[in-house]
């Protein structure tokens, strides 16, 4: 079970990687490369910045600085002082990454709102108080003979998929609660 | 200094690892190691064992999932893990001769380590790229937004801008500041106030999201993570610390925390993220998922991959893992770390998050020479770094202790919001603190060309200078430089104070970047001072030899770099890996000597005030059972002084090899909280035969009660090979020899503690039994050793918390 989930995760992450790499390869459009030349003030010419979409081998002052602000014999001296940098980016990688990041963040926030605000209300409406008391009992069950193995074997006996998911969620919640207790309340780790 | 190899390998001949699973023809029982003293067992044959068991079914024929695992917050037994792996490996080798399929399986098994490394490298490189891109965008979101495409940061937004004049270089119509967007004015008092307000609001919003996400989904995602990873690598179990939720939440909140402008960096948390990747992938392969020792080898390599992407320094990452975080680092792990670091760096490079074909924002490249006399300021910077390290560690630990023990710790969200608010309010007016810390470091590292627009480069230029770019002579400083200097000085004070309060809050926070920023600011100030001194006083005797008028003799950027290295060294006490990381950042071999001088000086100065680095200090604060290989133990105490039980204490809780009932064992487990019990021949003779782990005992009895018929509360438990002779009326006895470790480590009561500490360190023991002429006297656990060491160093021995 967990192994399948892991393989799925692996698969999805590889897909993401492939997506990223394909984005990087086929998105070399003209927008994504530039040669930027910064030329400092020279005699009476003010400092200028030049931007051109040229390939790496053409990235020098003579190709990029157009129109040339100085006359024939000064060109060499002027160009000697210009600093030209070739840069490339992948605009679609940036776009995809930011959008994926924002959607993950959004989903997490939605789930957080659900867990903290909606779920207690729903639970109370559906089951009344009995459920809450029971879950409290579950959390207090920390005897040496009730360990993770126990929980595992219990979960195996249930066949319903939905139950399984809910059970996994409950277990995860309990773990997080335990972590929260040790980090925020008891300050035993990570302080 | 981690363990390069297992010093016990010559002593392994004493053990006889029986492959019971094969001999009994039962599959899967390989999970359970049987370490049997050869002297006692050589006469045994499988048939005898079968007969000896008689009609009793050995319930342990079926693999039990939990035998050989550990409980949360416990220490692993390296020796046991090692022998289990040897066992598994031997089984695979012998099986591979049987069929082609088994042969292929053995090949896959041999390859799995490299596959895991490849996957770790790919995932951690990708995650680092995502983090870099998202941080870049979110940091700029505090100031404005790109109208043409909202997902672009300022730099990306103005990628093709045609603003060609020098003054308008940062302005392009697509990028709008918030005030411009809302009121239409970019300048003026109203716009400034509005921008200020929105900057603070965004910062508060980001940090609020970060701290609540951490609190709700994964509390373990907070902090830097390196102290805990160090402890985990030394053999401690923190369940869920490297889990999937921690990975997800740490990645997401790290972006938020860094972009909120707090004085923290992403480097330490990236090591944690990479280790989570390592844990994730090692659970795909049973070789690593079932063996805590092997898993730690993968995690060591993952830590290297993390530093590799954090600094763009693959070799530095490997050395960092070796010098700073790893505990057990065999050569095989070195090569694998190297591979993982390489793959990670390559992946990040192909994402190219900064558009400069480099892995970090503050990559610099200059090759101006330095002079011998400059070593004096470099060493002074080293002294500053050491002092900063001491101040930071003392201040931060005092503050964290306050947070741990007083009411302050009850308001984590409020604390984060308050610190963010103060940071944002103080940071905005100063241009050097307003931008992201990486950018600040980048600007400080880079030397001034003739065309820099920043204030730092506002030198008075000679109008008819016609020399090429990379050879600009020293120039007098203009008014801009002096403004920049006092702004930098304010930024320095601000960073020093606020970082002490930031590190350790309940959000992902690393301290590499803030430390480097402190050092870079100090270094740049010193650099400019030396430069101006050299310019104005050519005739001074120290400058006479190497600094003629019109020569380019002082590079302030280099001072910034040396200062950054010194401060980072003072805080973390790294030396070799630090210099290599800085060298890989700059690509200039000629700066090795200045960097080394600064790093070593800062280590000396900082060590003079306190032996431990920030990570060790945090480990000690939390009381993790971390037996540092760097410490020395020089006291003349004996094993008998440290062992339990002490004089006057009740005797050791032991099990006898036969004659105890299941009920008694359960009562013993319930009444005591020891992690294991020695097994003796009888209570009278107290001759030791082995050691049994509490968890294994619990699991074995539980499984037997469920699955084996006839095991009831008054069944007799026996650890011998043959069942004891019992009256027929008695219920069926329970054989537990399989979970018994027959070769526990023992020392005599007169062994000096020096030796015992060394054994614990080098073999990674969990406990050691003390005997005198074969009689069991007591037990020394890792916790006892740690407490004894703390006591000897006049610290509170009760600070060691875990087992």
């Amino acid at each position: 079970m967990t192994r399948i989930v892991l393989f799925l995760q692996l698969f999805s992450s590889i897909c993401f990687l492939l997506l990223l790499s394909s984005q990087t390869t086929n998105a070399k459009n003209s927008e994504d490369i530039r040669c930027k030349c910064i030329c400092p003030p020279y005699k009476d010419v003010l400092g200028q910045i030049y931007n051109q979409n040229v390939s790496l081998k053409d990235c020098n002052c003579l190709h990029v600085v157009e129109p040339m602000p100085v006359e024939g014999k000064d060109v060499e001296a002027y160009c000697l002082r210009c600093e030209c940098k070739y840069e490339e980016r992948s605009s679609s990688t940036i776009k995809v990454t930011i959008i994926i990041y924002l959607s993950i963040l959004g989903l997490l926030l939605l789930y957080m709102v659900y867990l903290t605000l909606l779920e207690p209300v729903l639970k109370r409406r559906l089951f009344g108080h009995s459920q809450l008391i029971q879950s409290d009992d579950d959390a207090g069950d920390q005897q040496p003979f009730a360990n993770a193995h126990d929980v595992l074997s219990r979960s195996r006996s249930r066949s319903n998929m939905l139950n399984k998911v809910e059970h996994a969620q409950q277990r995860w919640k309990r773990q997080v609660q335990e972590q929260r207790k040790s980090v925020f309340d008891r300050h035993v780790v990570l302080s | 200094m981690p363990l390069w190899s297992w010093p016990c390998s010559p002593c392994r001949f004493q053990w006889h690892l029986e492959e019971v699973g094969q001999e009994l023809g039962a599959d899967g029982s390989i999970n359970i190691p049987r370490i049997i003293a050869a002297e006692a067992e050589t006469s045994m044959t499988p048939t005898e064992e079968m007969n000896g068991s008689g009609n009793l079914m050995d319930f342990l024929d079926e693999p039990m999932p939990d035998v050989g695992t550990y409980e949360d917050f416990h220490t692993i037994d390296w020796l046991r893990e090692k022998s289990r792996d040897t066992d598994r490996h031997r089984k695979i080798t012998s099986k591979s001769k049987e069929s082609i399929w088994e042969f292929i399986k053995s090949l896959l098994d041999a390859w799995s380590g490299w596959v895991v490394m490849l996957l770790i490298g790919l995932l951690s490189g990708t995650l680092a790229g995502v983090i870099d891109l998202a941080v870049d965008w979110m940091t700029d979101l505090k100031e404005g937004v790109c109208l043409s495409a909202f997902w672009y940061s300022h730099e990306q937004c103005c990628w093709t801008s045609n603003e060609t004049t020098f003054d308008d270089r940062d302005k392009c119509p697509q990028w709008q500041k918030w005030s411009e967007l809302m009121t239409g004015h970019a300048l003026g008092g109203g716009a400034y106030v509005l921008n200020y307000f929105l900057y603070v609001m965004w910062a508060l919003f980001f940090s609020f999201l970060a701290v609540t996400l951490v609190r709700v989904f994964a509390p373990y995602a907070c902090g830097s993570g390196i102290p805990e990873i160090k402890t985990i690598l030394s053999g401690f179990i923190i369940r869920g610390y490297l889990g999937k939720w921690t990975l997800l939440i740490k990645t997401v909140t790290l972006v938020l925390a860094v972009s909120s402008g707090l004085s923290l960096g992403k480097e330490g948390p990236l090591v944690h993220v990479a280790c989570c990747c390592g844990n994730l992938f090692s659970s795909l392969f049973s070789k690593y998922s079932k063996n805590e020792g092997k898993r730690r080898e993968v995690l060591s390599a993952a830590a290297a991959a993390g530093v590799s992407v954090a600094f763009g320094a693959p070799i530095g990452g490997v050395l960092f893992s070796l010098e700073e975080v790893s505990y057990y680092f065999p050569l095989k792990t070195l090569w694998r770390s190297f591979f993982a670091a390489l793959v990670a760096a390559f992946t990040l490079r192909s994402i190219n998050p900064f558009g400069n074909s480099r892995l970090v924002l503050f990559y610099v490249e200059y090759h101006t020479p330095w002079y011998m006399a400059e070593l004096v300021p470099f060493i002074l910077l080293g002294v500053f770094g050491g002092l900063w390290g001491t101040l930071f560690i003392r201040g931060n630990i005092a503050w964290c202790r306050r947070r741990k023990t007083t009411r302050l710790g009850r308001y984590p969200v409020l604390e984060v919001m308050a610190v963010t608010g103060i940071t944002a309010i103080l940071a905005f007016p100063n241009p050097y603190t307003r931008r992201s810390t990486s950018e600040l470091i980048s600007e400080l590292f880079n030397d001034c060309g003739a065309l820099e627009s920043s204030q730092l480069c506002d030198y008075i230029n000679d109008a008819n200078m016609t020399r090429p770019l990379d050879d600009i002579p020293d120039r007098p400083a203009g008014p801009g430089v002096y403004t920049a200097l006092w702004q930098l000085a304010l930024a320095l004070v601000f960073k020093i104070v606020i970082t002490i309060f930031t590190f350790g809050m309940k959000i992902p926070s690393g301290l590499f970047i803030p430390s480097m920023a402190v050092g870079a600011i100090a270094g740049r100030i010193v650099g400019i001072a030396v430069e101006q001194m050299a310019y104005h006083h050519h005739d001074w005797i120290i400058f006479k030899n190497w600094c003629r008028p019109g020569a380019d003799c002082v590079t302030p950027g280099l001072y910034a770099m040396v200062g950054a290295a010194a401060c980072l060294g003072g805080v973390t006490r790294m030396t070799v890996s630090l210099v290599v990381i800085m060298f890989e950042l700059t690509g200039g071999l000629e700066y090795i000597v200045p960097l080394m001088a600064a790093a070593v000086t800062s280590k000396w100065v900082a060590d003079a005030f306190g032996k431990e680095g920030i990570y060790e200090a945090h480990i000690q604060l939390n009381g993790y059972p971390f037996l540092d290989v760097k410490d020395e133990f020089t006291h003349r105490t004996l094993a008998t002084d440290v062992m339990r039980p002490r004089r006057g204490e009740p005797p050791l809780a032991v099990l006898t090899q036969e004659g105890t009932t299941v009920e008694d064992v359960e009562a013993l487990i319930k009444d005591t909280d020891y992690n294991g019990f020695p097994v003796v021949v009888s209570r009278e003779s107290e001759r030791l035969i082995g050691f049994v782990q509490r968890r294994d005992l619990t699991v074995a009895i539980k499984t037997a009660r469920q699955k084996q018929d006839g095991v009831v509360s008054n069944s007799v438990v026996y650890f011998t090979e043959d069942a004891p002779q019992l009256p027929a009326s008695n219920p069926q006895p329970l054989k537990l020899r399989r979970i018994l470790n027959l070769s526990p480590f023992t020392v005599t009561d007169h062994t000096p503690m020096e030796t015992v500490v060394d054994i614990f360190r080098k073999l990674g023991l969990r406990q050691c039994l003390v005997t005198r002429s074969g009689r069991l006297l007591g037990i020394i656990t890792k916790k006892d050793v740690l407490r004894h060491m703390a006591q000897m160093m006049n610290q509170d021995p009760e600070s060691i918390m875990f087992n």
Side-chain angles (χ1 to χ4, degrees), chain B residues 625-653:
Chain B
F626 179 72
L627 198 53
D628 200 344
V629 276
K630 290 168 196 149
D631 289 344
E632 287 158 23
F633 186 85
T634 48
H635 305 280
R636 311 279 322 156
T637 42
L638 296 178
T640 179
D641 305 328
V642 181
M643 72 174 195
R644 302 285 174 127
R646 299 274 163 76
R647 252 179 230 107
E649 279 181 354
L652 203 62

mmCIF file of all heavy atoms in Angstrom, chain B residues 625-653:
data_model
loop_
_atom_site.group_PDB
_atom_site.id
_atom_site.type_symbol
_atom_site.label_atom_id
_atom_site.label_comp_id
_atom_site.label_asym_id
_atom_site.label_seq_id
_atom_site.Cartn_x
_atom_site.Cartn_y
_atom_site.Cartn_z
ATOM 1 N N PRO B 625 20.840 12.950 22.612
ATOM 2 C CA PRO B 625 21.950 12.064 22.961
ATOM 3 C C PRO B 625 22.984 12.018 21.850
ATOM 4 O O PRO B 625 23.040 11.072 21.084
ATOM 5 C CB PRO B 625 21.273 10.708 23.139
ATOM 6 C CG PRO B 625 20.101 10.770 22.237
ATOM 7 C CD PRO B 625 19.664 12.189 22.180
ATOM 8 N N PHE B 626 23.772 13.031 21.760
ATOM 9 C CA PHE B 626 24.757 13.114 20.678
ATOM 10 C C PHE B 626 26.143 13.009 21.286
ATOM 11 O O PHE B 626 26.553 13.856 22.066
ATOM 12 C CB PHE B 626 24.596 14.440 19.942
ATOM 13 C CG PHE B 626 25.571 14.629 18.823
ATOM 14 C CD1 PHE B 626 25.445 13.904 17.659
ATOM 15 C CD2 PHE B 626 26.613 15.531 18.936
ATOM 16 C CE1 PHE B 626 26.336 14.068 16.630
ATOM 17 C CE2 PHE B 626 27.511 15.706 17.902
ATOM 18 C CZ PHE B 626 27.366 14.970 16.756
ATOM 19 N N LEU B 627 26.841 11.941 20.912
ATOM 20 C CA LEU B 627 28.172 11.704 21.454
ATOM 21 C C LEU B 627 29.166 12.259 20.448
ATOM 22 O O LEU B 627 29.453 11.637 19.443
ATOM 23 C CB LEU B 627 28.365 10.206 21.649
ATOM 24 C CG LEU B 627 29.477 9.743 22.557
ATOM 25 C CD1 LEU B 627 29.364 10.413 23.910
ATOM 26 C CD2 LEU B 627 29.395 8.250 22.729
ATOM 27 N N ASP B 628 29.657 13.459 20.728
ATOM 28 C CA ASP B 628 30.473 14.144 19.726
ATOM 29 C C ASP B 628 31.842 13.486 19.618
ATOM 30 O O ASP B 628 32.522 13.267 20.610
ATOM 31 C CB ASP B 628 30.626 15.613 20.128
ATOM 32 C CG ASP B 628 31.014 16.459 18.942
ATOM 33 O OD1 ASP B 628 31.452 15.875 17.946
ATOM 34 O OD2 ASP B 628 30.874 17.688 19.016
ATOM 35 N N VAL B 629 32.223 13.204 18.376
ATOM 36 C CA VAL B 629 33.540 12.584 18.184
ATOM 37 C C VAL B 629 34.657 13.596 18.352
ATOM 38 O O VAL B 629 35.817 13.236 18.439
ATOM 39 C CB VAL B 629 33.648 11.935 16.794
ATOM 40 C CG1 VAL B 629 33.062 10.562 16.822
ATOM 41 C CG2 VAL B 629 33.005 12.774 15.732
ATOM 42 N N LYS B 630 34.290 14.893 18.373
ATOM 43 C CA LYS B 630 35.336 15.907 18.466
ATOM 44 C C LYS B 630 35.782 16.142 19.903
ATOM 45 O O LYS B 630 36.877 16.605 20.149
ATOM 46 C CB LYS B 630 34.849 17.223 17.874
ATOM 47 C CG LYS B 630 34.703 17.179 16.365
ATOM 48 C CD LYS B 630 33.942 18.399 15.875
ATOM 49 C CE LYS B 630 33.462 18.185 14.463
ATOM 50 N NZ LYS B 630 32.223 18.892 14.209
ATOM 51 N N ASP B 631 34.897 15.831 20.861
ATOM 52 C CA ASP B 631 35.255 16.063 22.257
ATOM 53 C C ASP B 631 36.345 15.102 22.707
ATOM 54 O O ASP B 631 36.479 14.000 22.191
ATOM 55 C CB ASP B 631 34.032 15.857 23.157
ATOM 56 C CG ASP B 631 33.043 16.969 22.982
ATOM 57 O OD1 ASP B 631 33.450 18.006 22.428
ATOM 58 O OD2 ASP B 631 31.884 16.799 23.377
ATOM 59 N N GLU B 632 37.079 15.529 23.706
ATOM 60 C CA GLU B 632 38.055 14.628 24.312
ATOM 61 C C GLU B 632 37.605 14.302 25.726
ATOM 62 O O GLU B 632 37.052 15.146 26.421
ATOM 63 C CB GLU B 632 39.432 15.294 24.361
ATOM 64 C CG GLU B 632 40.089 15.385 23.006
ATOM 65 C CD GLU B 632 41.135 16.454 22.967
ATOM 66 O OE1 GLU B 632 41.653 16.817 24.031
ATOM 67 O OE2 GLU B 632 41.419 16.943 21.866
ATOM 68 N N PHE B 633 37.895 13.091 26.123
ATOM 69 C CA PHE B 633 37.550 12.690 27.487
ATOM 70 C C PHE B 633 38.849 12.316 28.182
ATOM 71 O O PHE B 633 39.515 11.367 27.791
ATOM 72 C CB PHE B 633 36.583 11.521 27.458
ATOM 73 C CG PHE B 633 36.073 11.145 28.821
ATOM 74 C CD1 PHE B 633 34.989 11.793 29.363
ATOM 75 C CD2 PHE B 633 36.700 10.171 29.563
ATOM 76 C CE1 PHE B 633 34.524 11.469 30.614
ATOM 77 C CE2 PHE B 633 36.247 9.838 30.820
ATOM 78 C CZ PHE B 633 35.155 10.491 31.350
ATOM 79 N N THR B 634 39.213 13.052 29.210
ATOM 80 C CA THR B 634 40.537 12.847 29.802
ATOM 81 C C THR B 634 40.471 12.569 31.294
ATOM 82 O O THR B 634 41.465 12.694 31.984
ATOM 83 C CB THR B 634 41.406 14.090 29.575
ATOM 84 O OG1 THR B 634 40.644 15.234 29.938
ATOM 85 C CG2 THR B 634 41.847 14.202 28.141
ATOM 86 N N HIS B 635 39.312 12.214 31.806
ATOM 87 C CA HIS B 635 39.223 12.007 33.253
ATOM 88 C C HIS B 635 39.520 10.561 33.615
ATOM 89 O O HIS B 635 39.314 9.660 32.820
ATOM 90 C CB HIS B 635 37.837 12.413 33.739
ATOM 91 C CG HIS B 635 37.486 13.813 33.357
ATOM 92 N ND1 HIS B 635 37.942 14.901 34.041
ATOM 93 C CD2 HIS B 635 36.774 14.291 32.328
ATOM 94 C CE1 HIS B 635 37.505 15.997 33.465
ATOM 95 N NE2 HIS B 635 36.795 15.661 32.416
ATOM 96 N N ARG B 636 39.997 10.367 34.856
ATOM 97 C CA ARG B 636 40.431 9.026 35.243
ATOM 98 C C ARG B 636 39.324 8.301 35.996
ATOM 99 O O ARG B 636 39.515 7.845 37.111
ATOM 100 C CB ARG B 636 41.683 9.101 36.130
ATOM 101 C CG ARG B 636 42.809 9.957 35.634
ATOM 102 C CD ARG B 636 43.693 9.310 34.616
ATOM 103 N NE ARG B 636 43.946 7.898 34.846
ATOM 104 C CZ ARG B 636 44.294 7.074 33.874
ATOM 105 N NH1 ARG B 636 44.396 7.518 32.633
ATOM 106 N NH2 ARG B 636 44.535 5.825 34.130
ATOM 107 N N THR B 637 38.177 8.180 35.429
ATOM 108 C CA THR B 637 37.121 7.424 36.100
ATOM 109 C C THR B 637 37.050 6.022 35.497
ATOM 110 O O THR B 637 37.552 5.781 34.411
ATOM 111 C CB THR B 637 35.762 8.118 35.945
ATOM 112 O OG1 THR B 637 35.658 8.591 34.609
ATOM 113 C CG2 THR B 637 35.642 9.266 36.901
ATOM 114 N N LEU B 638 36.407 5.128 36.226
ATOM 115 C CA LEU B 638 36.316 3.741 35.782
ATOM 116 C C LEU B 638 34.871 3.399 35.433
ATOM 117 O O LEU B 638 33.939 4.091 35.844
ATOM 118 C CB LEU B 638 36.808 2.803 36.888
ATOM 119 C CG LEU B 638 38.274 2.935 37.278
ATOM 120 C CD1 LEU B 638 38.576 1.982 38.415
ATOM 121 C CD2 LEU B 638 39.177 2.650 36.089
ATOM 122 N N ALA B 639 34.724 2.318 34.709
ATOM 123 C CA ALA B 639 33.381 1.882 34.318
ATOM 124 C C ALA B 639 32.492 1.665 35.531
ATOM 125 O O ALA B 639 31.297 1.952 35.500
ATOM 126 C CB ALA B 639 33.475 0.599 33.505
ATOM 127 N N THR B 640 33.104 1.204 36.605
ATOM 128 C CA THR B 640 32.284 0.907 37.787
ATOM 129 C C THR B 640 31.700 2.168 38.422
ATOM 130 O O THR B 640 30.693 2.120 39.110
ATOM 131 C CB THR B 640 33.116 0.105 38.803
ATOM 132 O OG1 THR B 640 32.333 -0.151 39.937
ATOM 133 C CG2 THR B 640 34.368 0.856 39.219
ATOM 134 N N ASP B 641 32.328 3.341 38.154
ATOM 135 C CA ASP B 641 31.789 4.595 38.698
ATOM 136 C C ASP B 641 30.556 5.063 37.946
ATOM 137 O O ASP B 641 29.773 5.863 38.454
ATOM 138 C CB ASP B 641 32.837 5.709 38.623
ATOM 139 C CG ASP B 641 34.119 5.314 39.313
ATOM 140 O OD1 ASP B 641 34.028 4.559 40.290
ATOM 141 O OD2 ASP B 641 35.188 5.753 38.866
ATOM 142 N N VAL B 642 30.426 4.631 36.710
ATOM 143 C CA VAL B 642 29.383 5.167 35.842
ATOM 144 C C VAL B 642 28.206 4.214 35.736
ATOM 145 O O VAL B 642 27.077 4.631 35.534
ATOM 146 C CB VAL B 642 29.977 5.456 34.448
ATOM 147 C CG1 VAL B 642 28.941 6.044 33.524
ATOM 148 C CG2 VAL B 642 31.144 6.402 34.565
ATOM 149 N N MET B 643 28.474 2.912 35.903
ATOM 150 C CA MET B 643 27.443 1.926 35.600
ATOM 151 C C MET B 643 26.258 2.019 36.570
ATOM 152 O O MET B 643 26.368 2.538 37.667
ATOM 153 C CB MET B 643 28.049 0.529 35.656
ATOM 154 C CG MET B 643 28.349 0.106 37.074
ATOM 155 S SD MET B 643 28.903 -1.576 37.140
ATOM 156 C CE MET B 643 28.736 -1.875 38.879
ATOM 157 N N ARG B 644 25.127 1.540 36.062
ATOM 158 C CA ARG B 644 23.954 1.374 36.908
ATOM 159 C C ARG B 644 23.835 -0.102 37.235
ATOM 160 O O ARG B 644 24.164 -0.918 36.412
ATOM 161 C CB ARG B 644 22.694 1.851 36.173
ATOM 162 C CG ARG B 644 22.732 3.280 35.721
ATOM 163 C CD ARG B 644 22.526 4.163 36.901
ATOM 164 N NE ARG B 644 22.707 5.557 36.529
ATOM 165 C CZ ARG B 644 21.807 6.489 36.781
ATOM 166 N NH1 ARG B 644 20.684 6.180 37.370
ATOM 167 N NH2 ARG B 644 22.046 7.739 36.470
ATOM 168 N N PRO B 645 23.292 -0.511 38.364
ATOM 169 C CA PRO B 645 22.889 0.321 39.482
ATOM 170 C C PRO B 645 24.085 0.823 40.291
ATOM 171 O O PRO B 645 25.093 0.163 40.401
ATOM 172 C CB PRO B 645 22.065 -0.642 40.320
ATOM 173 C CG PRO B 645 22.625 -1.973 40.002
ATOM 174 C CD PRO B 645 23.072 -1.921 38.597
ATOM 175 N N ARG B 646 23.900 2.032 40.819
ATOM 176 C CA ARG B 646 24.914 2.579 41.720
ATOM 177 C C ARG B 646 24.799 1.884 43.073
ATOM 178 O O ARG B 646 23.866 1.126 43.312
ATOM 179 C CB ARG B 646 24.665 4.079 41.921
ATOM 180 C CG ARG B 646 24.738 4.880 40.672
ATOM 181 C CD ARG B 646 26.163 5.288 40.391
ATOM 182 N NE ARG B 646 26.334 5.710 39.010
ATOM 183 C CZ ARG B 646 25.927 6.878 38.540
ATOM 184 N NH1 ARG B 646 25.320 7.725 39.320
ATOM 185 N NH2 ARG B 646 26.122 7.186 37.283
ATOM 186 N N ARG B 647 25.727 2.216 43.954
ATOM 187 C CA ARG B 647 25.644 1.666 45.306
ATOM 188 C C ARG B 647 24.366 2.143 45.980
ATOM 189 O O ARG B 647 24.035 3.326 45.930
ATOM 190 C CB ARG B 647 26.857 2.132 46.121
ATOM 191 C CG ARG B 647 27.836 1.008 46.363
ATOM 192 C CD ARG B 647 29.030 1.460 47.144
ATOM 193 N NE ARG B 647 30.230 1.019 46.453
ATOM 194 C CZ ARG B 647 31.039 1.820 45.784
ATOM 195 N NH1 ARG B 647 30.789 3.099 45.748
ATOM 196 N NH2 ARG B 647 32.102 1.339 45.176
ATOM 197 N N GLY B 648 23.665 1.209 46.590
ATOM 198 C CA GLY B 648 22.453 1.611 47.301
ATOM 199 C C GLY B 648 21.212 1.622 46.434
ATOM 200 O O GLY B 648 20.120 1.839 46.939
ATOM 201 N N GLU B 649 21.386 1.388 45.145
ATOM 202 C CA GLU B 649 20.204 1.338 44.289
ATOM 203 C C GLU B 649 19.733 -0.109 44.191
ATOM 204 O O GLU B 649 20.506 -1.040 44.420
ATOM 205 C CB GLU B 649 20.559 1.865 42.898
ATOM 206 C CG GLU B 649 20.565 3.380 42.822
ATOM 207 C CD GLU B 649 20.901 3.889 41.432
ATOM 208 O OE1 GLU B 649 21.231 3.076 40.554
ATOM 209 O OE2 GLU B 649 20.848 5.099 41.261
ATOM 210 N N PRO B 650 18.444 -0.300 43.874
ATOM 211 C CA PRO B 650 17.954 -1.669 43.711
ATOM 212 C C PRO B 650 18.713 -2.374 42.580
ATOM 213 O O PRO B 650 19.210 -1.719 41.668
ATOM 214 C CB PRO B 650 16.474 -1.476 43.360
ATOM 215 C CG PRO B 650 16.345 -0.062 42.948
ATOM 216 C CD PRO B 650 17.386 0.686 43.704
ATOM 217 N N PRO B 651 18.817 -3.711 42.668
ATOM 218 C CA PRO B 651 19.629 -4.422 41.685
ATOM 219 C C PRO B 651 19.067 -4.297 40.264
ATOM 220 O O PRO B 651 17.924 -3.895 40.069
ATOM 221 C CB PRO B 651 19.572 -5.868 42.177
ATOM 222 C CG PRO B 651 18.341 -5.951 42.990
ATOM 223 C CD PRO B 651 18.188 -4.618 43.632
ATOM 224 N N LEU B 652 19.918 -4.658 39.328
ATOM 225 C CA LEU B 652 19.584 -4.572 37.914
ATOM 226 C C LEU B 652 18.398 -5.479 37.587
ATOM 227 O O LEU B 652 18.302 -6.581 38.115
ATOM 228 C CB LEU B 652 20.815 -5.057 37.148
ATOM 229 C CG LEU B 652 21.009 -4.632 35.718
ATOM 230 C CD1 LEU B 652 21.149 -3.140 35.637
ATOM 231 C CD2 LEU B 652 22.264 -5.293 35.184
ATOM 232 N N ALA B 653 17.492 -4.976 36.736
ATOM 233 C CA ALA B 653 16.371 -5.804 36.304
ATOM 234 C C ALA B 653 16.868 -6.777 35.252
ATOM 235 O O ALA B 653 17.269 -6.366 34.173
ATOM 236 C CB ALA B 653 15.265 -4.925 35.733
#
